[in-house]
Amino acid sequence: MQASQAIAAAPAKGRALPGWAVPAALLLLCSLFMFVDARVPPIYLWDESRLAVNALEMYHSGWSLVTTYGFAPDLWNTKPPLMIWLMNASIWLFGPSEVALRVPSMVGALGTLLVVYAFVGRVTHSTVAAAFAVFLLSTSVAFFGRHGARAADFDALLVFFTTSYLALLFFAVHRRRPSTRLLILIGALVAAAALTKTIAAFVPGAGVAVYLLLTRRLGRALRDPRYVLMVVAAALPLLLFYVARELAAPGYLAAVWFNDFAGRYQAQLGPMQRSPWFYFQELADDWMFSAGPLAMLAPLGLLGRKGRSRQALVFALCCVVTQIVLISLPETRLIQYMAPALPWLAIACAIAMADRLPRFVGSDKGALLNPANALLAITVLCACVTAGRLRYELLPQQDYYPEASYGSLFTTLHDRGVRQVTVVEPGFDVSGIRAYAPQFDFYALLWSRRDMNIARVERRGQLVGGGLAVSCNSEAAKDLVAVGAEPVGFDGCVAVRLSGRAAI
């Protein structure tokens, strides 16, 4: 008997695993892959470091509508404070640390994997297809990488909310009259997504409108006033927050208009100019999604497919294509803008291969000569190799560059009894901000609460008096070496007594 037949027969024989066993095992494996490191990665520069400062300052100053940087209202990170509140709550529970700041993203990412598993399982009635979707998503670097599950950034939480409300909308629009309770839940998820990352919350919903238009269901949805009320109710918390935030610290709305809306459409915010075809190019290169070529072929899965699984595949493709088109319109094009589409890429691939996956799992070696089976085998192998290389080689190389090492440096100094230090950190100029150094700012604030007195100057010539001078900035470190510093053992950081004698 083939494996697929054996699996199907297992429930009748009483040998079925509990319904939670497979998703629980998958989440455990995904957690080990995404989160477990020999050494906790330091706070990333973009954009984790700024959010980390926002959260740590709120932890010190108290809960507020106004997020701060340098204990002044932050008019650069102008997103609503839901993520900062969750990070602050995590700090209160677990204490200030890099891991505590990342807990909301970790939980959001695992929640997304669970939603994807449940959605694919429901529309295909295949545990194997559901597990395949989770595998594809969890091995995608744009999902688990530096703006995703492993970072204290907005995107993992945003993706959880958008994936959840899209999945529920799929079932709602296929009911003649969905329950009011279901629509309220959908509206609450949209509102939570909007309070996480403003306009990015609504972009995925455009894919639903496209799907309704293609399937001639738009009129029925528009005739139900509860859908309109749902959208209004979902946007209302964000609008109320905008009003309250502007009253609390005037100037906020002008900053929001530039940072989150007009500025990103009119000009490139950042140093990199990218083609309108940027997202398609990245998809083809497997950099964003672990099975880019398979995703390109997913529309072929519509051939011969019927019923609910066909509807779900069309829905997923509408969500993906609409997301790519809309995020390609602004001049600012960043990898993380694609994040809400990644679960639906994984869902589309899994549904497209749903009929073949159980047979593939139970196939013998000779069956790999079948073109479809060979494609699956190559997809799984390439996804594993690419994900492993990115996760364990490329990302660690990007993690440990000198300016990220202040946490390790301050830990070393504290362990050796140092309680007062001056840091030479020139930072860099960006978006009108001079001498920007958010990684240093975070670690200085963190260790100042651990009885260390940390001062900063931008260049060696500003050092006065005695004491210990240190730097993890490569140019500043070279300058300190010229007056007698020696390495302290962390990625180019150096320390020197201002008298000229070696400190450590």
Side-chain angles (χ1 to χ4, degrees), residues 45 47-54 69 74 76-77 433 436 438:
L45 176 58
D47 295 308
E48 185 181 42
S49 58
R50 193 169 189 94
L51 272 69
V53 173
N54 294 153
Y69 190 93
D74 191 350
W76 184 2
N77 174 21
I433 300 176
Y436 185 54

Side-chain angles (χ1 to χ4, degrees), residues 139-477:
T139 54
S140 298
V141 68
F143 179 76
F144 69 74
R146 298 184 65 177
H147 291 278
R150 292 169 51 79
D153 205 344
F154 299 108
D155 298 285
L157 189 64
L158 171 72
V159 170
F160 168 69
F161 289 133
T162 58
T163 306
S164 298
Y165 86 66
L166 288 175
L168 292 177
L169 269 174
F170 172 78
F171 296 110
V173 299
H174 288 95
R175 295 178 183 176
R176 187 167 297 279
R177 184 172 175 80
S179 70
T180 301
R181 183 179 300 179
L182 176 60
L183 295 180
I184 290 174
L185 177 57
I186 294 169
L189 289 167
V190 178
L195 290 175
T196 300
K197 205 174 179 182
T198 59
I199 191 64
F202 301 99
V203 172
V208 181
V210 172
Y211 173 78
L212 293 176
L213 186 63
L214 289 177
T215 57
R216 300 180 181 180
R217 296 174 181 270
L218 184 59
R220 188 171 72 181
L222 293 177
R223 285 192 296 271
D224 189 337
R226 295 178 303 158
Y227 281 105
V228 177
L229 291 174
M230 178 191 72
V231 174
V232 172
L236 186 60
L238 178 63
L239 297 176
L240 292 176
F241 164 74
Y242 280 157
V243 173
R245 176 68 171 79
E246 176 68 16
L247 292 175
Y252 174 73
L253 289 181
V256 166
W257 177 249
F258 177 77
N259 292 337
D260 298 341
F261 296 95
R264 294 182 185 271
Y265 278 84
Q266 296 171 358
Q268 166 69 35
L269 299 187
M272 304 179 71
Q273 295 290 333
R274 285 166 169 163
S275 160
W277 300 101
F278 167 70
Y279 296 105
F280 289 103
Q281 294 166 351
E282 292 297 313
L283 183 60
D285 290 340
D286 287 340
W287 174 249
M288 285 191 301
F289 184 65
S290 62
L294 182 62
M296 297 291 189
L297 297 175
L300 296 178
L302 294 171
L303 299 176
R305 190 163 298 281
K306 299 178 181 179
R308 181 56 58 89
S309 63
R310 178 184 175 86
Q311 292 172 333
L313 180 53
V314 174
F315 183 87
L317 293 173
C318 286
C319 291
V320 170
V321 174
T322 304
Q323 177 83 19
I324 293 177
V325 170
L326 291 179
I327 63 177
S328 297
L329 296 177
E331 289 298 318
T332 303
R333 302 181 184 99
L334 302 175
I335 286 283
Q336 58 268 31
Y337 293 178
M338 187 66 176
L342 297 179
W344 297 98
L345 277 171
I347 288 169
C349 291
I351 294 175
M353 306 299 279
D355 293 340
R356 183 159 297 277
L357 283 165
R359 294 196 298 269
F360 173 74
V361 171
S363 295
D364 57 29
K365 296 180 181 179
L368 291 178
L369 297 177
N370 179 286
N373 283 354
L375 175 61
L376 269 175
I378 293 171
T379 296
V380 172
L381 178 62
C382 290
C384 290
V385 171
T386 301
R389 181 177 62 85
L390 294 173
R391 171 69 177 85
Y392 298 111
E393 294 182 16
L394 182 60
L395 289 183
Q397 292 172 7
Q398 294 179 347
D399 291 346
Y400 299 103
Y401 51 94
E403 285 81 358
S405 298
Y406 282 111
S408 297
L409 174 63
F410 294 152
T411 300
T412 299
L413 296 177
H414 188 273
D415 290 346
R416 298 183 185 186
V418 176
R419 295 297 181 268
Q420 185 165 345
V421 63
T422 301
V423 178
V424 183
E425 175 51 60
F428 56 93
D429 297 342
V430 60
S431 297
I433 300 176
R434 182 178 171 278
Y436 185 54
Q439 291 163 304
F440 163 78
D441 290 338
F442 168 75
Y443 285 112
L445 182 59
L446 181 67
W447 281 95
S448 70
R449 305 295 295 184
R450 299 174 180 175
D451 69 2
M452 285 189 73
N453 184 358
I454 301 171
R456 175 194 174 191
V457 297
E458 295 177 19
R459 57 183 183 277
R460 181 168 62 88
Q462 295 175 324
L463 293 169
V464 294
L468 183 67
V470 304
S471 183
C472 290
N473 177 276
S474 55
E475 295 301 319

Side-chain angles (χ1 to χ4, degrees), residues 27-41:
L27 291 185
L28 176 61
L29 291 174
C30 292
S31 297
L32 293 174
F33 171 70
M34 294 190 295
F35 306 137
V36 175
D37 295 273
R39 172 182 169 191
V40 176

Side-chain angles (χ1 to χ4, degrees), residues 95-145:
S97 69
E98 295 94 335
V99 174
L101 290 165
R102 292 164 177 160
V103 165
S105 290
M106 295 177 179
V107 173
L110 294 177
T112 300
L113 294 177
L114 194 58
V115 170
V116 166
Y117 178 89
F119 183 86
V120 174
R122 182 167 177 179
V123 299
T124 65
H125 306 289
S126 170
T127 299
V128 178
F132 186 59
V134 170
F135 165 76
L136 292 179
L137 182 58
S138 62
T139 54
S140 298
V141 68
F143 179 76
F144 69 74

